[in-house]
Amino acid sequence: HLPGSPGLRDIMRATGHMDWVNAVYSMGDFVFSASVDRTIRRWHIASLLSEQGAPSGQWVDRGNAHGVLYDVFAWGHNKEGALGNGIADTSEVPVPIIALQGVIVSEIACGAGTEEHHSVALTEHGRVYSWGSGRSGQLGHGDVTSLVLPRILESLDGHVVSRVSCGSAHTVAVGTAGTVWSWGWGHFGQLGHGAPSVNFSTPERVAALEGITVARVACGSAHTTVSTDTGQVYTWGW
């Protein structure tokens, strides 16, 4: 247990980890990862950035008691650019996503498909970046191209997004006004558009939720669940 930090169990609960995914926590000058075998590893942020050739001064510590890490780090399997660092090599240590430096990221969501891996980042200003596998349209850029670097989701320009979540190969976003968009793999109806077996390569508003203010979203492999501002829960897919 780290002084002034959540315990291993708290870290895992907060990140909703799966059995092969590390959880991450930053404190001061360090980034920590926790795995299911209860092993905690620690890396010095400045050293990680230096080893990866990142410019100095590209990360921010706001001076809070626990520190706030604004850079985004990724590690693990790098199929189809899932790590977003511009190369295809798998990494056993956190590597900074250089393309997101200078961008204040408030939320990260990772897809967990067995064949397709993608990631989404939400910024403090409600903009969305996506990268990794795009074979089912889950990146939302209007095609099925995979990306090794994060690209901003221009189709949501003009909207402020407050929540994002990823399934195996689909993505769902919630706007500050409670609007829900979904895109990607729709084989089991997990997009909520009433069209099973249809994929969407750009965000599509979920019409069935019109007039309902959605507050949160969570995606499973092939299903989606949202909760409203009044505590109601809606779910669809497989």
Side-chain angles (χ1 to χ4, degrees):
H1 188 84
L2 304 170
S5 72
L8 176 59
R9 183 174 301 174
D10 298 320
I11 295 173
M12 290 181 171
R13 183 184 301 117
T15 54
H17 81 291
M18 289 170 288
D19 58 356
W20 48 271
V21 177
N22 283 337
V24 64
Y25 175 75
S26 64
M27 183 175 69
D29 292 341
F30 296 91
V31 59
F32 301 85
S33 76
S35 57
V36 292
D37 64 0
R38 297 184 176 271
T39 298
I40 293 181
R41 299 182 66 189
R42 183 185 75 168
W43 296 273
H44 193 274
I45 295 170
S47 297
L48 286 172
L49 292 173
S50 176
E51 289 170 5
Q52 298 299 323
S56 60
Q58 292 293 310
W59 63 280
V60 179
D61 181 353
R62 292 174 63 180
N64 294 11
H66 65 285
V68 176
L69 178 65
Y70 282 156
D71 281 279
V72 179
F73 290 81
W75 61 97
H77 191 42
N78 199 15
K79 185 176 182 179
E80 296 185 271
L83 299 188
N85 61 345
I87 59 177
D89 297 339
T90 293
S91 177
E92 295 183 357
V93 298
V95 292
I97 302 179
I98 306 299
L100 291 178
Q101 287 189 333
V103 177
I104 299 179
V105 173
S106 60
E107 190 168 310
I108 290 284
C110 298
T114 56
E115 295 296 329
E116 302 180 43
H117 307 148
H118 74 293
S119 302
V120 173
L122 175 64
T123 77
E124 66 166 351
H125 298 301
R127 303 203 72 183
V128 178
Y129 289 79
S130 63
W131 64 94
S133 176
R135 283 187 278 162
S136 297
Q138 62 265 51
L139 300 187
H141 300 296
D143 54 32
V144 292
T145 303
S146 297
L147 299 173
V148 297
L149 292 171
R151 179 188 296 174
I152 199 161
L153 201 56
E154 296 179 354
S155 54
L156 287 177
D157 280 354
H159 301 285
V160 180
V161 175
S162 59
R163 300 282 180 179
V164 290
S165 185
C166 296
S168 285
H170 76 289
T171 309
V172 182
V174 177
T176 53
T179 303
V180 179
W181 297 270
S182 64
W183 61 97
W185 182 44
H187 182 75
F188 294 104
Q190 61 266 46
L191 300 184
H193 302 311
S197 300
V198 176
N199 296 348
F200 288 79
S201 60
T202 56
E204 184 79 11
R205 193 166 180 168
V206 180
L209 294 173
E210 293 282 355
I212 298 170
T213 304
V214 171
R216 295 179 180 274
V217 60
C219 295
S221 177
H223 72 279
T224 303
T225 301
V226 299
S227 62
T228 72
D229 60 343
T230 59
Q232 293 180 306
V233 175
Y234 293 81
T235 186
W236 59 93
W238 183 51

